[in-house]
Amino acid sequence: MTVDSSVPRYRQNIYEVDAIVDPYPHYQRLRALGPVVWLPHQRVYAVSRYADCKAVLLDDESFVSGDGVSLNPVANRLGRGTTLNSDADDHATKRSVLAHRMTPKALRKMTTTVEEAADGVVARAMSMLDVDGVEDLATALPLSVVPDLVGWPEDGRDDLLRWAGATFDAMGPINCRSVGAAKAVAEMMTFAHRVVKNRSVLDGSMGHDVLAAADEGTIDPKACPALMVDYMAPSLDTTIGAISSALYLFSQHPEQWQAVRADPTLIPGAVNEVVRFESPLRAFSRKAARDVDVGGVPIPRGSRLLVIYASANRDAAEWDRPDSFDITRDAARQLGFGSGVHGCAGQGLARLETRSMLQALARRVERIELTGEPKWAVNNIIHRLERLPLELVPSRGEQA
């Protein structure tokens, strides 16, 4: 591919380990270079400014997902059949099979169940001397909710986190992580095929809806395995990322934790600010369906364009003090869950789980204190903590 020499190049590899662990200096340099930057290592255009990212995400006719949203052709081929890798009527049909379970009305019916699960998770964590915020809190809640919602049989749940992480790693560029993830992704798809063949999904679940839609002719039966895993990985890792980041950020900003405890109505806005500040998803790509301009830069038809959500959420042209965590700001327009027709369908559930966890903690915990060095996971797509040693200091009522 011949790239216009006027398009600036960014020659550092944003998928190196150091850049994955601390991406924000790279994002700042990308934004400074221009509205569109060429990444030689991945041979893709990248947009990193808020306005340009949102414009691309909202223009689903010029920038399509049907040819995949990954940075390598193998993952794009394997992702065919999912809602993520589909467009127009095909996307709407597949999404309709599952999305009715993620409507505000449906989620309201789940609220009590999720809140009770969050209370139980927090109670167990507070009985422990050493708490890992990732394993004991951020992971425990989604694992108690999502597999039942999707309808995943009990015998396949031990591998869900490993498979979910591998699914996202495989969607990066061709590197050691995406190649290394291939075996786990193949395992997950093999299991999904077996679940569909044996019809071993839980009654009344998303998986049950998928099989019913195939029986009714709404979708091709061959799409069932892909749709079975469609919501599983995103509903786990993004929520784990949001909850663990919230715990870490409140440990570093105790005054904001006290504000939340004093006024729990701040929690929904705090969830948006957490997602803005530490976006669980780094970036996905789109393919240009026609010659098109982005920020005045011509993008040739057939080009792949990387939309860096996490950079958009730190753009000083959009946000006042973007590198400051502030739960009182209006962060509702953050792009951490994407935007447009491909906006994360599971974001309502992710918000509910994160909100429920913070509410449960606010009732019981005076302070969230870091007791060791946190460790960030290394994943091509997901931005989340891998380890977060904490002490949950109980409030006076809990101590009594």
Side-chain angles (χ1 to χ4, degrees), residues 361-382:
L361 287 163
R363 286 192 294 268
R364 293 171 173 262
V365 175
E366 175 74 24
R367 297 191 309 278
I368 302 170
E369 296 187 351
L370 196 63
T371 59
E373 189 70 24
K375 180 181 179 182
W376 290 93
V378 178
N379 187 287
N380 282 323
I381 303 297
I382 288 293

Side-chain angles (χ1 to χ4, degrees), residues 135-153:
E135 181 177 353
D136 301 319
L137 291 165
T139 300
L141 180 57
L143 274 183
S144 72
V145 174
V146 174
D148 285 343
L149 177 67
V150 176
W152 210 251

Side-chain angles (χ1 to χ4, degrees), residues 120-302:
V121 168
V122 171
R124 286 190 294 274
M126 293 191 69
S127 70
M128 304 165 61
L129 292 177
D130 298 311
V131 177
D132 184 333
V134 178
E135 181 177 353
D136 301 319
L137 291 165
T139 300
L141 180 57
L143 274 183
S144 72
V145 174
V146 174
D148 285 343
L149 177 67
V150 176
W152 210 251
E154 293 284 347
D155 65 341
R157 298 189 179 190
D158 290 345
D159 293 304
L160 282 178
L161 283 178
R162 180 172 63 87
W163 288 345
T167 298
F168 282 112
D169 239 349
M171 297 174 74
I174 295 178
N175 57 19
C176 61
R177 285 177 297 280
S178 60
V179 172
K183 182 175 183 291
V185 173
E187 290 173 5
M188 180 178 65
M189 290 309 301
T190 298
F191 188 82
H193 277 276
R194 188 162 71 246
V195 168
V196 170
K197 180 181 178 181
N198 296 338
R199 303 182 74 89
S200 55
V201 297
L202 302 182
D203 287 341
S205 65
M206 277 186 174
H208 182 269
D209 293 345
V210 168
L211 296 181
D215 293 340
E216 295 164 1
T218 303
I219 60 172
D220 187 336
K222 292 179 181 178
C224 288
L227 289 175
M228 270 297 301
V229 303
D230 211 12
Y231 282 44
M232 181 60 72
S235 295
L236 288 174
D237 264 318
T238 54
T239 308
I240 293 168
I243 294 175
S244 58
S245 289
L247 293 167
Y248 173 68
L249 289 166
F250 282 122
S251 77
Q252 301 303 293
H253 300 273
E255 76 290 347
Q256 298 199 49
W257 180 243
Q258 294 310 314
V260 162
R261 295 187 68 239
D263 183 6
T265 64
L266 293 173
I267 289 176
V271 173
N272 275 327
E273 176 66 352
V274 168
V275 174
R276 182 199 71 83
F277 194 79
E278 296 288 6
S279 303
L281 293 171
R282 288 163 56 85
F284 280 133
S285 73
R286 298 288 190 271
K287 190 174 182 180
R290 54 195 178 204
D291 292 343
V292 62
D293 283 3
V294 175
V297 178
I299 305 296
R301 179 177 180 272

Side-chain angles (χ1 to χ4, degrees), residues 54-66 86-88 91 286-287 289-290 339-342:
K54 188 160 188 179
V56 170
L57 293 173
L58 293 179
D59 187 358
D60 55 290
E61 292 186 357
S62 298
F63 302 100
V64 297
S65 301
S86 58
D87 294 305
H91 173 76
R286 298 288 190 271
K287 190 174 182 180
R290 54 195 178 204
S339 190
V341 298
H342 280 279

Side-chain angles (χ1 to χ4, degrees), residues 374-393:
K375 180 181 179 182
W376 290 93
V378 178
N379 187 287
N380 282 323
I381 303 297
I382 288 293
H383 175 70
R384 73 169 178 87
L385 286 150
E386 182 177 305
R387 183 177 66 245
L388 183 63
L390 297 174
E391 179 184 359
L392 303 179
V393 179

